[in-house]
Amino acid sequence: MADSAESPAPAEAASRPPGKRRSRPWHRVLGALTALPLVWVMITGAALNHTVGWKLDQIHITHPWILRAYGMTPAGDPSGLLAGSHEVTEWDGQIFLDAAPLETTGSLLGAAADPDGVAVVTTHEVLLLDPSGALIESLGSVSLPELPLTGVAVHEGKTLLENAAGWSQVGEDWLDFTPAAEAPFARQSLSPLANEDSKNRLRAAWSRGGLPASRVVLDLHAGRFLGPLTTWFYDIVVVCTLWLCLTGMILLLRKPRRPR
């Protein structure tokens, strides 16, 4: 009885075509491995087809993780000071006025505000801005005392600049500079910026508004987002997809053998 109960199993196994027994397991495994990447490629490809309609080229991504992946985040921490109602900040070589980048040279030393606007002082330049932050005039080596400047102070309502020769008092409309007697002027200093919302605004401004969404989607579609590692992964997916097609054709075209 035991022998007769076990005898159908070998006969059933013998009736299965050996080619299918070898192809079907690999077909399943490779199908599962390639399903997710292929779905991702199809979704990103469809999004690229609608770049204009969905305005992906006008949408900018400023998420810190995305910017870090593209090397578009400043190093270190920001520091700055208040000049009247304005916040002047420097982060990794870029100077900002209320999170708006300023085109200037040198390192930030300080700033002075009055009803006519704000003066942003660096080691090699002074920017005169109106109350809205628009540039009025840029003062360089021709108009300023000997450069580089080393300090800024505001004493009794007067702005003073320091260089290797000492302190100079700034005249009206920044037209003349009078040597000032040595005095215990309180040189302005920059303080670290701790507000995270302000940091995020500065980080987005430092990257010039972030990345267009169309660029990010294109890199996701092409496998360039995470660098060479993603490229190699996509190569493996291509090989698996080709093998999946081959094993699928084998399963489709192979004729089943008659059972013995």
Side-chain angles (χ1 to χ4, degrees):
M1 294 294 291
D3 294 340
S4 62
E6 295 176 358
S7 57
E12 182 181 354
S15 65
R16 297 173 184 170
K20 282 193 175 182
R21 288 201 301 272
R22 289 191 297 268
S23 301
R24 186 174 286 113
W26 280 107
H27 189 77
R28 293 198 198 99
V29 172
L30 294 180
L33 289 177
T34 57
L36 183 59
L38 288 177
V39 170
W40 184 258
V41 169
M42 288 187 292
I43 292 175
T44 54
L48 289 175
N49 288 336
H50 297 278
T51 298
V52 177
W54 294 352
K55 299 181 179 180
L56 297 180
D57 53 343
Q58 301 178 22
I59 300 174
H60 286 73
I61 298 176
T62 59
H63 194 282
W65 186 81
I66 300 293
L67 296 180
R68 279 195 298 269
Y70 282 88
M72 297 178 63
T73 53
D77 293 313
S79 57
L81 73 165
L82 288 175
S85 60
H86 297 282
E87 187 176 58
V88 184
T89 317
E90 182 177 23
W91 198 355
D92 195 10
Q94 176 65 61
I95 298 175
F96 304 89
L97 179 72
D98 299 332
L102 299 175
E103 297 297 333
T104 184
T105 58
S107 301
L108 179 63
L109 294 176
D114 58 31
D116 295 329
V118 58
V120 177
V121 182
T122 73
T123 54
H124 290 79
E125 194 175 15
V126 174
L127 298 183
L128 302 180
L129 311 170
D130 67 13
S132 66
L135 179 64
I136 299 174
E137 189 177 1
S138 174
L139 305 179
S141 58
V142 176
S143 305
L144 296 175
E146 183 181 353
L147 300 178
L149 301 178
T150 56
V152 184
V154 177
H155 181 71
E156 296 181 353
K158 300 293 184 179
T159 303
L160 298 103
L161 302 179
E162 183 186 31
N163 60 7
W167 288 95
S168 299
Q169 182 173 308
V170 179
E172 188 176 356
D173 295 331
W174 291 75
L175 296 178
D176 57 87
F177 301 88
T178 305
E182 293 294 332
F185 299 127
R187 185 184 292 108
Q188 290 184 344
S189 59
L190 308 182
S191 302
L193 186 65
N195 187 281
E196 287 300 325
D197 291 336
S198 298
K199 283 186 178 181
N200 289 334
R201 288 194 298 269
L202 291 176
R203 191 179 288 111
W206 194 92
S207 63
R208 293 299 190 268
L211 278 167
S214 57
R215 166 70 185 279
V216 178
V217 174
L218 177 60
D219 289 342
L220 289 172
H221 180 75
R224 295 191 297 263
F225 183 74
L226 296 179
L229 181 63
T230 309
T231 303
W232 281 105
F233 176 71
Y234 269 48
D235 291 341
I236 295 173
V237 171
V238 170
V239 173
C240 293
T241 304
L242 293 175
W243 185 258
L244 184 65
C245 296
L246 178 61
T247 54
M249 294 298 293
I250 292 174
L251 293 174
L252 179 64
L253 300 177
R254 186 179 294 274
K255 295 182 180 180
R257 298 181 181 180
R258 292 182 179 181
R260 295 179 180 179

